Amino acid sequence: MGNQIMCRLRGERGPRLVLVVAQGTRGAQQFNKIPVVERRVPQPCMCRLVSQRAKFHARAADAESRRGLHRFHEDAPARSAALTTAPVTLPISIADVRAASERLAPFLAPTPLYTYPLLDAWVGHEVRVFVKHENFHPTNAFKVRNGLAFMSALAEPQRACGVVAATRGNHGLGIAWAARAFGAKATICVPVGNNPDKNAGIRALGARLIEEGRDYDESVEVARRIIDAEGATLAHSTNNADIVAGAATLSLEVVGQQPGLDAMVIAVGGGSQAVGALTVAAELEPGMRVFGVQAQGASAAHDSWHARERRTTSRAETIADGLATRTTYDLTFPALLAGLAGFELVSDAEIADAMRALLRTTHSLVEPAGAAGLAGLRRLAPTLAGRKVAIVISGGNVDEATLRQVLERAI
């Protein structure tokens, strides 16, 4: 593993954490400072002006994230021994995370971090499992953190123009809940055949629901079309710094509730939760490793991580609808590529088994995406033997039909 140097770049919103890695033979090293792109949109006066400026800042943020290069791990495949210098910028700082936590405090209580001896026994290898219960939120999922962090950071004229989001459910619920809290209009785009219970929950929160597209990625395009027509602001589930900072607040709570953790194992859809954990670990728990988990039927980020290049899949088919993406994302993938200690794939059968284990040992109702981290931990248990490891029940919004299949062991 190469030498690692942590340095800070300061901007208006606080420091940006920069990890510089040198690999190969010793020699002169030049560390390039990476400019910090300010993503907040200036105070607008018209909805369409808001939309145009938001797009400009989104493009700038995308360009910044593409500058991120690889941090190589001891267990990564062998590469050229030639000296390289690879600066990696996390898309948010610990200051961003703490600021988001302060904005969330009036709305959300910290969620508990519990241990269960029966669950430890199920995982095996003397792993001690710490369960972060994000299913205890008012929307039953961690995404309400993201929605509130996003909505509370918007200027009032932007809120007045409304927000649009694409989702498989939990992100839409989080945005809808936050929009209602701030008195803003929300339009939520979901693919055809989406989880009916999540759709009903979104509507019940007062949001406009549009069902169009075959999967999440096509719903994003529907959302962009609405933005162009109406001048609203896009609340992207991943490519937004405020949303990633919101996701990071759960990891901030975890390290405060249980210092000295050895690892976190986190399910990855777009990667906001995992990048949040990497940000918190870099500043507050540098010895804590972060592992990613994806479903076999939606493996774009996993495949890209192992190939060390971005890849897109033609389909995303898994019972874990919260993980069903076909691509990687500009804001999060460089950090995932650089920072994850490992990346596992789990089958739908393994996810269903983890759901049953959580129901039996914690008496928690967990959706498939919320159980994927535990399924991944069970695979990683020999590697993490004897360690203290946190997982996240990211959501509990399982629909009745899927739950019946899981309980009847049809999956």
Side-chain angles (χ1 to χ4, degrees):
M1 186 172 183
N3 297 323
Q4 302 175 11
I5 296 179
M6 291 296 232
C7 50
R8 291 181 182 278
L9 302 179
R10 292 196 174 271
E12 293 180 4
R13 295 181 62 197
R16 286 292 184 271
L17 197 60
V18 179
L19 175 62
V20 183
V21 177
Q23 182 193 19
T25 59
R26 295 182 179 178
Q29 302 173 14
Q30 179 179 357
F31 302 109
N32 300 317
K33 290 185 178 180
I34 301 175
V36 177
V37 178
E38 175 58 56
R39 297 184 192 85
R40 288 186 186 268
V41 181
Q43 187 83 353
C45 59
M46 297 176 61
C47 289
R48 291 193 181 278
L49 181 59
V50 172
S51 179
Q52 291 167 0
R53 287 176 175 172
K55 290 176 184 177
F56 171 80
H57 283 269
R59 286 195 295 269
D62 289 349
E64 179 191 353
S65 68
R66 289 190 185 101
R67 295 188 184 103
L69 298 176
H70 304 167
R71 175 159 65 105
F72 293 80
H73 295 277
E74 293 174 341
D75 56 350
R79 293 170 179 84
S80 171
L83 176 67
T84 60
T85 301
V88 178
T89 300
L90 293 165
I92 57 172
S93 71
I94 196 66
D96 295 325
V97 181
R98 287 181 169 134
S101 182
E102 290 177 3
R103 299 199 307 274
L104 268 57
F107 301 94
L108 301 176
T111 56
L113 184 73
Y114 291 149
T115 59
Y116 302 90
L118 285 175
L119 188 59
D120 294 350
W122 185 81
V123 169
H125 297 274
E126 298 183 344
V127 174
R128 190 174 183 203
V129 185
F130 293 80
V131 180
K132 183 64 168 168
H133 279 279
E134 292 294 289
N135 55 318
F136 286 7
H137 279 304
T139 63
N140 305 310
F142 86 98
K143 293 279 190 174
V144 71
R145 296 178 184 268
N146 303 17
L148 281 168
F150 172 82
M151 199 67 64
S152 61
L154 286 182
E156 186 56 40
Q158 288 178 280
R159 291 192 200 123
C161 293
V163 298
V164 181
T167 183
R168 287 303 305 264
N170 286 339
H171 176 61
L173 284 165
I175 292 294
W177 197 93
R180 187 174 72 164
F182 281 91
K185 299 179 296 182
T187 298
I188 308 300
C189 303
V190 300
V192 174
N194 196 53
N195 181 317
D197 295 344
K198 291 179 179 178
N199 288 356
I202 291 167
R203 288 193 179 99
L205 288 167
R208 175 175 61 160
L209 187 78
I210 296 177
E211 299 178 72
E212 185 177 340
R214 68 186 175 99
D215 56 21
Y216 166 78
D217 296 281
E218 289 192 359
S219 291
V220 172
E221 297 309 310
V222 175
R224 295 188 189 281
R225 188 183 72 217
I226 294 170
I227 289 166
D228 289 340
E230 300 180 5
T233 297
L234 176 65
H236 196 284
S237 64
T238 305
N239 279 336
N240 182 281
D242 291 311
I243 278 175
V244 175
T249 61
L250 77 86
S251 293
L252 185 65
E253 290 177 10
V254 166
V255 300
Q257 291 164 321
Q258 182 59 50
L261 286 169
D262 296 301
M264 290 185 71
V265 180
I266 295 177
V268 175
S272 66
Q273 193 182 147
V275 170
L278 289 168
T279 303
V280 171
E283 182 72 21
L284 302 179
E285 283 286 0
M288 184 179 77
R289 294 184 291 172
V290 180
F291 294 83
V293 180
Q294 276 201 314
Q296 287 179 354
S299 61
H302 167 275
D303 297 349
S304 299
W305 189 86
H306 283 279
R308 317 309 289 180
E309 64 180 16
R310 295 177 68 167
R311 294 184 175 181
T312 299
T313 59
S314 60
R315 294 181 296 176
E317 297 179 354
T318 172
I319 60 168
D321 56 5
L323 308 181
T325 59
R326 291 188 282 114
T327 188
T328 58
Y329 298 93
D330 293 334
L331 195 64
T332 54
F333 183 67
L336 295 176
L337 185 65
L340 290 180
F343 212 146
E344 294 293 317
L345 274 185
V346 292
S347 67
D348 281 359
E350 288 173 295
I351 292 172
D353 199 22
M355 289 174 67
R356 290 187 290 267
L358 286 166
L359 182 60
R360 184 173 63 253
T361 61
T362 75
H363 299 283
S364 291
L365 186 63
V366 182
E367 65 184 271
L374 176 61
L377 174 56
R378 202 179 196 199
R379 275 184 169 259
L380 287 164
T383 300
L384 296 172
R387 304 293 185 178
K388 295 183 293 184
V389 184
I391 62 168
V392 181
I393 297 181
S394 58
N397 294 316
V398 58
D399 65 276
E400 185 178 348
T402 300
L403 180 60
R404 182 180 294 111
Q405 287 184 300
V406 170
L407 294 178
E408 293 176 352
R409 299 183 180 270
I411 300 176

